[in-house]
Amino acid sequence: KYSIVKDPILKTVSPLDFNQPNSKVYVLLRAHLMRLPLPVLDFETDFKIIQDNCMRILAALMELSSKQFWLGTLVDTLSLQQMINQKFCAYDGECGDLLQLPNLTSEKCKGLRKMTKLKCLKDFSDNSKEDSLLKSAFKTAKIGMTESLDILRWIKYDLPTILLSRLELKKNGIHLYSLKISFKIEKEGSIFYAFIGDVQQAILLTQPTRMFSSNNKNQQTMEFKFESEQKLENLELFIINESYYGLTSRFKLNDLSL
């Protein structure tokens, strides 16, 4: 059986004193991300407190990243928030992000990845209209009917449909940028973050803005405006799901016609 105390990742950090509360926090977080059972009920109660505090710390880190224009830190913070919410670690095991699908064990995730072309969550979103192909893949991976139906309901979690229009002007030596987004989110309750960054310089150019599904399912619009003394050549729009790891879309804005 797996032992969290013998976790190889523990060897990469300073030796832990298991009488200290920070060591307990670390071990319980690792157990949560790796979906390991906790031996006593008290640990589950303790972890709920830890999780609440983690979300507050991550929210503060998101705010700090936005104020300091740290693009990479913002993306990493959102990724960690997703992993804690979904109870999985993107860097452990052979299941990839498929463990976030409902009612799938590690073994069935490995079967899906080995015997079908479905390797990650985005593959499900890309094939969300092909129920017959997905059912065939589930049968191949020996996934039961109940689990299959749960997954088919989940994959209606479509990525937002995005239409972009970009405007760039130069006035008094300052480059002015405007990006308009038209989007539609089908899944009720879905929330995404949208922001623009310069990936070469790792600079955040706009504040993260939340995108919500609308009751009438009509297209919504959003506009970003920013300026720079230099012409920016590596602009990307990031659309990141609030809850699920791997449902991220990136659009290279320099490829757009002006």
Side-chain angles (χ1 to χ4, degrees):
K1 292 184 178 180
Y2 179 85
S3 170
I4 191 70
V5 179
K6 297 179 181 179
D7 188 333
I9 290 186
L10 292 178
K11 299 177 182 178
T12 68
V13 298
S14 302
L16 295 179
D17 180 352
F18 286 97
N19 293 317
Q20 297 299 318
N22 59 309
S23 299
K24 182 178 182 180
V25 169
Y26 178 83
V27 170
L28 288 179
L29 267 174
R30 286 289 295 166
H32 174 77
L33 294 175
M34 300 187 73
R35 302 190 176 193
L36 299 175
L38 298 176
V40 294
L41 184 61
D42 285 350
F43 285 167
E44 295 181 11
T45 304
D46 291 342
F47 182 74
K48 288 179 182 178
I49 298 172
I50 293 169
Q51 186 172 20
D52 289 342
N53 287 326
C54 279
M55 291 304 154
R56 281 194 285 270
I57 292 170
L58 291 174
L61 186 54
M62 278 185 60
E63 183 176 352
L64 178 62
S65 301
S66 300
K67 289 181 177 178
Q68 297 297 325
F69 308 105
W70 296 337
L71 177 62
T73 305
L74 176 62
V75 173
D76 289 344
T77 302
L78 284 168
S79 295
L80 182 54
Q81 175 179 289
Q82 292 162 340
M83 286 188 277
I84 292 175
N85 280 334
Q86 294 304 316
K87 198 176 179 181
F88 99 113
C89 182
Y91 315 109
D92 288 334
E94 304 171 3
C95 301
D97 55 20
L98 296 188
L99 269 177
Q100 299 173 95
L101 291 170
N103 301 323
L104 277 195
T105 63
S106 296
E107 290 304 315
K108 289 179 179 178
C109 284
K110 292 175 186 176
L112 266 177
R113 299 187 83 201
K114 183 178 180 180
M115 293 182 277
T116 73
K117 296 181 179 180
L118 302 170
K119 309 298 183 185
C120 62
L121 286 189
K122 271 201 167 182
D123 291 340
F124 282 85
S125 294
D126 293 342
N127 291 278
S128 61
K129 309 304 180 189
E130 305 292 339
D131 283 6
S132 59
L133 294 178
L134 291 173
K135 287 178 181 178
S136 176
F138 297 151
K139 187 175 181 181
T140 300
K142 298 181 179 179
I143 293 175
M145 180 64 71
T146 301
E147 295 156 326
S148 299
L149 292 175
D150 286 342
I151 295 171
L152 289 173
R153 280 192 289 267
W154 183 91
I155 60 173
K156 302 308 176 184
Y157 212 111
D158 292 335
L159 295 170
T161 302
I162 304 288
L163 297 174
L164 303 171
S165 62
R166 175 187 161 203
L167 176 65
E168 179 183 333
L169 300 173
K170 187 175 182 180
K171 185 177 181 180
N172 298 327
I174 301 295
H175 294 269
L176 307 175
Y177 296 86
S178 174
L179 178 73
K180 290 184 178 180
I181 305 175
S182 296
F183 66 93
K184 183 166 63 173
I185 301 176
E186 298 284 351
K187 181 80 171 183
E188 185 177 350
S190 298
I191 300 174
F192 291 80
Y193 285 99
F195 50 88
I196 297 171
D198 184 318
V199 294
Q200 184 173 19
Q201 302 183 60
I203 296 174
L204 181 69
L205 296 168
T206 66
Q207 297 299 299
T209 303
R210 297 176 96 192
M211 302 165 60
F212 300 89
S213 57
S214 62
N215 293 330
N216 55 19
K217 306 274 179 85
N218 291 333
Q219 281 199 342
Q220 304 174 72
T221 59
M222 182 182 295
E223 185 173 11
F224 296 96
K225 292 184 177 181
F226 54 99
E227 60 184 50
S228 172
E229 294 181 359
Q230 304 176 7
K231 183 176 176 64
L232 301 174
E233 301 288 353
N234 294 278
L235 298 176
E236 286 194 22
L237 168 68
F238 291 76
I239 307 290
I240 299 181
N241 189 275
E242 183 181 58
S243 300
Y244 289 94
Y245 183 90
L247 293 184
T248 295
S249 297
R250 296 172 62 170
F251 301 88
K252 294 183 182 296
L253 302 184
N254 295 85
D255 295 341
L256 298 176
S257 57
L258 301 178

